[in-house]
Structures are given as structure tokens and as C-alpha cells.
Amino acid sequence: MKRYYVTVNGSRYEVEVEEVQGNFPKAPKAETVEQELRAHEPASEAVASQEASEKDVKKENPDKVTEAEGEKILCPMPGTIIKIPVSEGQKIKKGEVILVLEAMKMENEIMSPKDGTVVQIAVTKGQQANTGDLLAVIQ
């Protein structure tokens, strides 16, 4: 046993540490463990889980799968859609608010980058949006 004195936030502590002898194997890297797990997963299960996740995405928001042509407005940060003052087919001007995103207890106005028509609104009020998610399309 080895005895040490340690000071933490002004308080002094006496610590005894036992010295252990022997050879210990190194822990494997996380990447190696993941590769081994994938290698042992049957191919049919991997394909089935991928197909299931694709179906879930289509069920959650079918608009994301069939995107309209035009300039895509993507979500700049994770948050909740709290207001959508425009509707599909509405003409808008550059700088006009398309929707309001609440993130970190702040309301962030997502504005139109150009004059045009709202072709598609890909989110609904109350929906959670992640960075990079499609919010709307303007033509």
C-alpha cells in the first residue's frame, strides 16, 4: 500500500492506494468492437432493419421523401416549429418570415432568402426539427 495526501477544494484527504502486479490486456478500441458486432450480424437482419428504418422515415413525414423543385430551406439548428405564418402557394418577398423555430428557449425567425412562391412546407407546427432537415421549398 502506498499512502498519498490529496487536497481537493481546500480540504486535505489521506488516500491509500494498493499496487497491483501483473500483465493486463489493453481494452479494444470502440471501432474494433463495432466491426466485430457487424461481422456477426446476419445479413438478412441488417437488410430488414435498414428497410424498417426507411419505412419509418416515410411514415413520419412523407413530404420529406417527395421534395418539390426549387430552393430548399434547411433547418439551421435543432428545435421545435412553433409558428408557420405562410402557406403553400403563397407569394413571398426576400426577408419575409417563413416560419418560427424555437431553439434553446429563443424564437428564431427563418426568413425567405429570395422573392418567390412557397411550393412546399415540409414541417408542421409543434414538430421537432434537426439541423439539416427540410423546412420549406421556394420557387
Side-chain angles (χ1 to χ4, degrees), residues 74-100:
L74 303 178
C75 190
M77 66 191 84
T80 305
I81 308 300
I82 60 170
K83 191 180 205 182
I84 305 173
V86 298
S87 58
E88 289 184 5
Q90 181 178 338
K91 294 200 180 293
I92 55 172
K93 302 250 183 232
K94 180 179 180 178
E96 190 174 332
V97 177
I98 298 172
L99 53 90
V100 179

Side-chain angles (χ1 to χ4, degrees), residues 58-131:
K58 289 178 185 176
K59 286 180 186 175
E60 281 179 23
N61 196 347
D63 292 334
K64 286 187 178 181
V65 178
T66 58
E67 296 174 359
E69 288 186 25
E71 185 164 345
K72 294 172 176 52
I73 310 300
L74 303 178
C75 190
M77 66 191 84
T80 305
I81 308 300
I82 60 170
K83 191 180 205 182
I84 305 173
V86 298
S87 58
E88 289 184 5
Q90 181 178 338
K91 294 200 180 293
I92 55 172
K93 302 250 183 232
K94 180 179 180 178
E96 190 174 332
V97 177
I98 298 172
L99 53 90
V100 179
L101 174 77
E102 181 183 33
M104 298 179 283
K105 299 191 181 204
M106 292 180 62
E107 292 184 6
N108 301 284
E109 295 179 334
I110 308 300
M111 298 181 196
S112 174
K114 66 176 193 173
D115 292 351
T117 304
V118 178
V119 178
Q120 177 185 14
I121 297 176
V123 292
T124 59
K125 184 176 177 183
Q127 180 180 336
Q128 293 289 323
N130 292 316
T131 305

Side-chain angles (χ1 to χ4, degrees), residues 42-54:
S44 60
E45 286 182 21
V47 170
S49 65
Q50 183 179 359
E51 288 174 355
S53 65
E54 287 175 3

Side-chain angles (χ1 to χ4, degrees), residues 20-34:
V20 180
Q21 301 289 327
N23 293 331
F24 299 97
K26 291 184 178 180
K29 292 183 179 180
E31 296 168 354
T32 308
V33 174
E34 280 185 30

